Amino acid sequence: MVTSSAPPTAGRDHRRPLLTVFLGWLWVMAGANVAAPLYSVYAGKFGFSSLVLTTVFATYAVTLVGTLLVGGRLADRFGRRPVILAGLAVAAAAALLFALADGTLWLYAARALQGVAVGLISGPATAALVEIDPKRDERRPALLAGLAQAGGSGLGPLVGGILAQWFPAPLQTCFVLVLVGTVVAAGFVWVLPEPRDTNPEPWRPQWPRVPREIRWAFARVSITAGLVWATLALYLSVVPSYVGQLLSTSNLALLGANSALACAASAAAQVVSQRRTRGRAGASGGQALGLGLLTAGLVLLVVSAALHSLVTVLLAAVVIGVGHGVAFLDAQDELNSIAPDDRRAEVTAAFVCVIYVLVGAAVVGVGLLGLAMALTGAVGVVGVVLAVAAAGVAVWQVKVRSANAS
């Protein structure tokens, strides 16, 4: 356990280590999603189906969850810096595999490594943001963590699409950039300060156990977070190919920008939402609002197939992104408030597991449906299912808010 409650940078400038962690995490998330607009190119080059496309993406979720479960306490035992460096090394290896890929198996291997990298980095990066920041009580670490994930997830497709559309070696250039940036990030992390730890905790697998007394609240916030991330995951996996078919375009910059737009809207919504004062009732209300917006955005996405309208597609991205940002930030905030201090790591691991189970189910569901119908139809079916689920959970959130307010 950490024996000092003061941040490791107390008494000196904390901004550089704070930015090191934030930008390093953001860059890893960008690298993990830079291939989003390229999957249609890979499908044409390697000749694989929509099911393969979605299972390549889902491989990331599987290895990420596995890494969280097996290595959830590595940073408690060995320190934040070594584990973050290990994650950056794995991320660099994933970028190299993508750059050298000459078959589908390379894509599976690269996505698996990306899941391991994010799984290794997310825990210690979250802890480091709290430990470094002198304003930890003002919820800034939670905001920075959310922005690193949403901002990085949007930056990746944007950069990947632009470089693939207008630069030489479209399937290599973006990954070379990711590799170089990851090496630079590792250089800054190398000198990152560590908290004083005179009694490191032993390592053990972090199984996702949830105390009985918070299970209903945990289920509500976890399903909320899972639904909004499952929808955003569609934008980072199959929606670029969906939009390409819908609008009969192969402009990779446009396809990447559409995914980036949803993530940018999420990041902006989190910044605005963070300024609100939230209690348990407020958090439930924010989640209900976010889920309502998510439902509306999914309806727009489904309708866009009939309208063949770029404006509708872009509007759906914005509404879905805002819904994601509002709902996820408040879900994370409520989770932090209900998790017991001595079980926080376990509860958080379970929370992430629920998210990625729903992410994998949504993405692979599109792939399976794509074997029997066009990709636009498959996205439409999964979109309707997610919209109905989001509306139902929004009603649940409203009832909880009314109960907490009374």
Side-chain angles (χ1 to χ4, degrees):
M1 66 180 66
V2 177
T3 57
S4 173
S5 61
T9 53
R12 62 177 185 243
D13 188 1
H14 65 277
R15 287 172 294 183
R16 180 172 174 176
L18 197 65
L19 283 174
T20 294
V21 176
F22 170 72
L23 294 176
W25 192 2
L26 182 143
W27 188 252
V28 168
M29 293 303 302
N33 292 286
V34 75
L38 308 181
Y39 288 126
S40 59
V41 180
Y42 285 124
K45 182 178 179 180
F46 301 144
F48 56 71
S49 67
S50 60
L51 179 61
V52 172
L53 184 155
T54 54
T55 54
V56 166
F57 185 88
T59 299
Y60 166 84
V62 172
T63 57
L64 191 156
V65 171
T67 302
L68 283 172
L69 296 180
V70 174
R73 297 180 70 91
L74 284 175
D76 293 329
R77 177 63 180 86
F78 300 105
R80 315 299 185 212
R81 182 173 57 211
V83 177
I84 294 175
L85 285 171
L88 290 170
V90 176
L96 185 61
L97 283 183
F98 262 119
L100 298 175
D102 64 357
T104 305
L105 290 179
W106 289 70
L107 303 184
Y108 278 110
R111 285 299 286 169
L113 288 181
Q114 286 180 335
V116 172
V118 175
L120 284 173
I121 288 173
S122 58
T126 301
L129 288 174
V130 174
E131 292 160 355
I132 293 170
D133 196 345
K135 295 186 177 181
R136 63 179 72 179
D137 294 331
E138 297 180 14
R139 295 179 178 148
R140 187 167 66 178
L143 177 61
L144 290 176
L147 292 180
Q149 294 175 82
S153 296
L155 178 64
L158 181 64
V159 170
I162 290 174
L163 293 180
Q165 182 66 34
W166 291 307
F167 284 71
L171 296 181
Q172 287 79 39
T173 303
C174 56
F175 297 110
V176 171
L177 177 62
V178 169
L179 180 59
V180 172
T182 303
V183 172
V184 172
F188 282 98
V189 171
W190 188 267
V191 296
L192 194 68
E194 284 276 15
R196 294 188 298 275
D197 193 351
T198 59
N199 186 25
E201 299 183 21
W203 175 84
R204 63 178 175 84
Q206 187 67 68
W207 302 110
R209 297 176 299 175
V210 178
R212 183 181 301 274
E213 61 272 16
I214 66 167
R215 284 180 184 173
W216 277 108
F218 170 85
R220 178 171 47 79
V221 299
S222 299
I223 293 172
T224 295
L227 288 172
V228 297
W229 270 108
T231 303
L232 196 64
L234 294 181
Y235 271 83
L236 300 171
S237 56
V238 297
V239 166
S241 298
Y242 164 85
V243 173
Q245 292 184 15
L246 190 66
L247 303 178
S248 300
T249 180
S250 58
N251 188 310
L252 300 177
L254 174 62
L255 301 183
N258 184 59
S259 297
L261 182 60
C263 296
S266 173
Q270 290 184 55
V271 171
V272 174
S273 181
Q274 185 72 7
R275 299 178 183 275
R276 295 187 291 111
T277 300
R278 297 188 298 276
R280 287 286 298 278
S284 298
Q287 290 170 77
L289 173 61
L291 288 167
L293 290 170
L294 190 81
T295 303
L298 284 164
V299 170
L300 286 171
L301 181 63
V302 173
V303 168
S304 66
L307 299 179
H308 293 270
S309 167
L310 176 62
V311 172
T312 306
V313 169
L314 296 178
L315 182 59
V318 171
V319 176
I320 285 172
V322 172
H324 174 278
V326 172
F328 179 66
L329 187 65
D330 279 13
Q332 181 70 67
D333 184 55
E334 185 173 353
L335 180 80
N336 291 341
S337 71
I338 65 174
D341 290 340
D342 60 342
R343 302 285 297 277
R344 190 173 305 279
E346 290 179 306
V347 172
T348 300
F351 178 71
V352 175
C353 286
V354 173
I355 289 174
Y356 279 98
V357 165
L358 291 178
V359 165
V363 173
V364 174
V366 171
L368 290 172
L369 289 170
L371 297 176
M373 62 179 70
L375 184 61
T376 52
V379 171
V381 171
V382 173
V384 168
V385 172
L386 289 172
V388 171
V393 179
V395 172
W396 187 6
Q397 296 283 7
V398 169
K399 290 181 177 180
V400 169
R401 183 188 183 190
S402 299
N404 288 336
S406 61

